[in-house]
Amino acid sequence: MTNLTVTQTSLDPEQGAVGARRRPSIAARISAMGQSRIGALLLLVATLAAIVWANVSLASYGTFWRTRLMAGVGDLHLEFTLHALVNDALMAVFFFTVGLEVRREFAIGELTSWSRALVPVAAAIAGLVAPALLFVLIARGSGNEHGWGLVISTDTAFLVGALALIGPRVPGRLRVFLLALAVVDDIGALSIIALVYTEHFTPLPLLIAAAGLVGVYLTRYLRSRRGPVYVSLAIVVWLAFLASGVHPTLAGVAIALLVPVYRPNRSDVERALELARTFRQSPTTEYARAAANSLRESISINERLQSAYAPYVAYVILPLFALANAGVVLTPEVLAGAAGSTLTWGIVVGLVVGKLLGVFGSSALLRRLNLGELGAGLTLDRVLGGAAVCGIGFTISLFIVDLAIDDELAQNEARVGVLAASVIAFVLATIIFRISDAVRPDDDSGMTLARPVDPARDHVLGDPYAPFTIVEYGDFQCGFCLKASGSILEVRGVLGDRLRYVWRHAPLVQIHPNALAAAEASEAAAAQGRFFDFARALLDDQDNQRPSDIIRIADDLGLDLDQFEKDLISAEVAGRVRDDMLDAEAMSITAVPTLFINGRRHVGPYDARSLLRALTTASGTPVAE
């Protein structure tokens, strides 16, 4: 559950974001940890519980997970063990959420722009190939070479949780990079499961699955009651995959890739607002239902499903999977066998060294060749730490153990290798991040502009190559930003073309409810060359920034409204604003306006006279006041 704070007044930029003074409750502290961190901790607890259980009573551990369940009608019935129920059925839901994330990233996320996607895609591919090669090199001759799929994939859940626990001080840009990488990594892992670890393939049931997937695609056109249809078709597709011999968890991915994803459009949001206002005036059951349905329908099914299933996956499914699959016996004999096993060492070296070399090496090479974008604040030492985290291959690795290895003793050695590699990767990443933070002292954090001004990218008012520069990170619902922009315009009146004024976005989304939408609208206006005109209109009328007001401003400025609305929901516009926000996070910007004078952060008043004095100090050249 997300707690939102909405206020009508801006925070004083000289005070920053001031939280509540009272001591938070235990529930509040747990909530503040975030879903990713809590999920990672639950996964860790379940793993430790499985190991303890298996070592205290291996017989009861095995007996429990071999418990057989039967369900059916008449002559049709299915029979599962509890272990198979977790691995084949519940994990299909996990892979479904993975597929939703893959679909979203390629439609409206980080992987929509080739220049933005090049580095994480290349790093993910190298991070698949290098571990597999190292594994085969070490395990050759052992009869377990077929298990190279054990080392290919990074555990996204542990990756996000580990980043929250041990990541650098400002992990935003690294988190985006690693999540984009994890999406491609998941695609590779899922493809390998389907192509390499599928046995006893029967093609006929896949025709039924194909028909069900067509039905899933067409369900988007139903006007109502789509949920029960999706569920029914999903069950049919899952059963068809199960009958075909293709691992049924892949049904979840196939279904997810057909679920529509889009950014909310203005007409849907306006309709939801109108119905909400109608309900406020006439609070009846019918209007309440209509308003709720309209609000829900304004968000894509993909994002609604991600939000709905994410807690179950993080808090139930993945911990259950760990409990069912991480029960490795750690007797001295087993550990001694694992220590001398090429299978175990192939897994450890493949995950820890292979991921590190593949992810970091490819990223460093592309950086050296000036190919692709890493983004401001994402330095190679941080990428090195992220590459180490990628060595945590827990979930998919344990999942593939049963698919790739038949011998029970070898399976135990493989699980020891997976657990050891995950621990080593976690510790190694912790060391790298601590060293990385240590070489960046806090006293200079955020005092230097993270990304230099680029006239080809930035919104620049004045001569793009003027000797004096003021960069403002601002928010269109901030009264202080209105005052600051007025002061900067006064300075421009004095300096003329000797000053360039640059605006970058830092919307305080938890404080100003319309600030993010306003920032994206200004970028849509920028596509038609009217950024500063649109920005001025937003700053001058901060109380009216609803979707209808945004369109009215665009119409008043004579913009092409059809093109404006298309740009407004485009991935490019959202990505442009997100880039500025990540820059702001990297520089610890928590209040706006935050100004940079000739690349250095301005501390103090921002009236015109103070800014002129700051420009003189920054440049060493007297500036007339």
Side-chain angles (χ1 to χ4, degrees):
M1 182 177 180
T2 302
N3 296 319
L4 298 179
T5 302
V6 178
T7 67
Q8 299 300 320
T9 59
S10 305
L11 294 175
D12 188 328
E14 295 184 8
Q15 295 180 0
V18 180
R21 300 287 183 183
R22 63 178 181 273
R23 184 187 298 273
S25 65
I26 294 176
R29 290 179 182 178
I30 294 175
S31 178
M33 291 175 66
Q35 187 179 101
S36 298
R37 189 176 296 185
I38 296 172
L41 289 174
L42 287 175
L43 199 55
L44 178 61
V45 169
T47 300
L48 295 175
I51 294 172
V52 171
W53 185 2
N55 283 272
V56 170
S57 177
L58 181 61
S60 68
Y61 181 83
T63 301
F64 178 80
W65 292 111
R66 286 194 296 270
T67 301
R68 305 194 73 81
L69 303 173
M70 183 181 294
V73 177
D75 294 333
L76 298 175
H77 67 274
L78 289 173
E79 189 173 347
F80 284 99
T81 63
L82 276 177
H83 185 267
L85 180 66
V86 171
N87 281 28
D88 295 350
L90 292 184
M91 285 300 284
V93 179
F94 164 71
F95 283 111
F96 175 71
T97 60
V98 170
L100 290 174
E101 185 64 26
V102 169
R103 176 80 173 89
R104 185 189 183 283
E105 287 300 313
F106 276 100
I108 61 175
E110 280 294 300
L111 300 179
T112 55
S113 165
W114 175 243
S115 63
R116 190 189 310 276
L118 177 60
V119 180
V121 168
I125 294 172
L128 292 168
V129 174
L133 291 176
L134 285 175
F135 176 89
V136 172
L137 184 65
I138 295 172
R140 63 181 177 178
S142 68
N144 293 309
E145 296 89 340
H146 187 60
W148 58 268
L150 290 164
V151 299
I152 57 173
S153 186
T154 294
D155 189 312
T156 305
F158 257 135
L159 180 148
V160 174
L163 200 61
L165 290 168
I166 63 167
R169 281 190 294 265
V170 280
R173 188 77 69 178
L174 178 62
R175 182 176 61 247
V176 170
F177 171 79
L178 290 178
L179 286 176
L181 180 153
V183 166
V184 181
D185 182 278
D186 287 336
I187 294 172
L190 296 172
S191 301
I192 288 167
I193 291 173
L195 297 174
V196 178
Y197 297 114
T198 293
E199 299 179 358
H200 313 298
F201 176 62
T202 305
L204 185 59
L206 286 185
L207 296 178
I208 299 174
L213 291 173
V214 171
V216 169
Y217 177 82
L218 296 176
T219 300
R220 69 183 66 192
Y221 298 110
L222 294 179
R223 297 182 63 86
S224 61
R225 307 297 296 172
R226 289 193 292 262
V229 177
Y230 272 124
V231 171
S232 301
L233 290 172
I235 293 173
V236 170
V237 172
W238 183 84
L239 290 171
F241 269 72
L242 180 67
S244 73
V246 177
H247 203 280
T249 53
L250 298 178
V253 180
I255 294 166
L257 295 178
L258 296 175
V259 173
V261 57
Y262 50 81
R263 289 172 53 76
N265 63 56
R266 180 186 63 86
S267 59
D268 290 340
V269 175
E270 283 290 347
R271 174 173 169 75
L273 288 173
E274 287 297 329
L275 286 170
R277 281 194 290 267
T278 302
F279 170 70
R280 182 179 181 181
Q281 295 167 0
S282 180
T284 64
T285 303
E286 291 77 12
Y287 285 135
R289 185 181 301 111
N293 288 339
S294 183
L295 285 168
R296 184 174 60 252
E297 292 298 322
S298 68
I299 306 298
S300 73
I301 300 172
N302 178 292
E303 293 180 283
R304 297 205 306 270
L305 288 173
Q306 282 193 63
S307 177
Y309 282 105
Y312 297 103
V313 170
Y315 302 152
V316 180
I317 293 175
L318 287 180
L320 273 176
F321 171 81
L323 192 62
N325 290 273
V328 59
V329 177
L330 299 178
T331 62
E333 294 77 16
V334 170
L335 292 176
S341 168
T342 55
L343 173 61
T344 303
W345 282 107
I347 292 171
V348 172
V349 173
L351 282 172
V352 177
V353 180
K355 284 291 182 181
L356 191 71
L357 291 177
V359 173
F360 177 74
S362 58
S363 301
L365 178 62
L366 291 176
R367 177 83 169 251
R368 179 76 174 175
L369 297 175
N370 290 320
L371 297 175
E373 299 177 14
L374 276 179
L378 185 52
T379 53
L380 286 179
D381 56 326
R382 299 241 167 105
V383 174
L384 181 64
V389 173
C390 289
I392 303 176
F394 188 83
T395 301
I396 301 296
S397 296
L398 289 178
F399 185 79
I400 295 179
V401 165
D402 288 334
L403 302 179
I405 301 173
D406 296 324
D407 181 71
E408 188 172 339
L409 178 60
Q411 287 182 350
N412 217 34
E413 292 175 350
R415 293 189 181 101
V416 171
V418 170
L419 295 175
S422 298
V423 171
I424 293 170
F426 183 86
V427 172
L428 180 61
T430 302
I431 294 171
I432 293 172
F433 284 136
R434 294 295 78 82
I435 293 174
S436 174
D437 281 346
V439 298
R440 289 181 174 80
D442 287 332
D443 55 7
D444 194 50
S445 177
M447 296 305 296
T448 301
L449 190 64
R451 177 166 42 81
V453 174
D454 179 1
R457 175 201 182 275
D458 280 309
H459 304 299
V460 181
L461 186 62
D463 183 352
Y465 302 98
F468 301 112
T469 302
I470 297 179
V471 177
E472 176 181 358
Y473 279 85
D475 174 324
F476 291 123
Q477 275 200 291
C478 167
F480 294 106
C481 292
L482 174 61
K483 295 176 182 177
S485 65
S487 298
I488 294 169
L489 291 178
E490 288 185 46
V491 174
R492 284 200 75 241
V494 175
L495 298 180
D497 285 339
R498 290 189 294 160
L499 173 70
R500 60 178 181 178
Y501 166 44
V502 179
W503 172 280
R504 291 178 180 172
H505 303 287
L508 305 180
V509 293
Q510 291 188 324
I511 299 170
H512 299 145
N514 298 322
L516 180 59
E520 292 177 348
S522 71
E523 289 299 327
Q528 299 185 43
R530 302 298 295 276
F531 173 82
F532 281 104
D533 294 330
F534 202 95
R536 174 50 56 182
L538 290 170
L539 285 170
D540 286 343
D541 192 5
Q542 297 185 10
D543 293 330
N544 296 295
Q545 294 185 3
R546 294 171 300 180
S548 56
D549 300 314
I550 295 296
I551 297 300
R552 173 183 52 77
I553 295 172
D555 190 27
D556 291 344
L557 292 175
L559 301 182
D560 180 336
L561 294 185
D562 290 337
Q563 186 60 47
F564 178 79
E565 292 202 46
K566 289 179 182 178
D567 291 334
L568 200 56
I569 60 174
S570 69
E572 291 78 9
V573 159
R576 174 68 173 75
V577 174
R578 183 172 60 246
D579 278 349
D580 281 358
M581 293 173 68
L582 289 170
D583 289 346
E585 182 194 43
M587 295 181 290
S588 303
I589 293 175
T590 58
V592 290
T594 294
L595 306 181
F596 288 82
I597 307 292
N598 280 9
R600 292 292 296 176
R601 192 168 188 155
H602 174 67
V603 180
Y606 46 83
D607 59 277
R609 186 178 296 275
S610 297
L611 293 179
L612 285 166
R613 280 198 296 268
L615 285 165
T616 297
T617 302
S619 64
T621 303
V623 176
E625 297 186 15

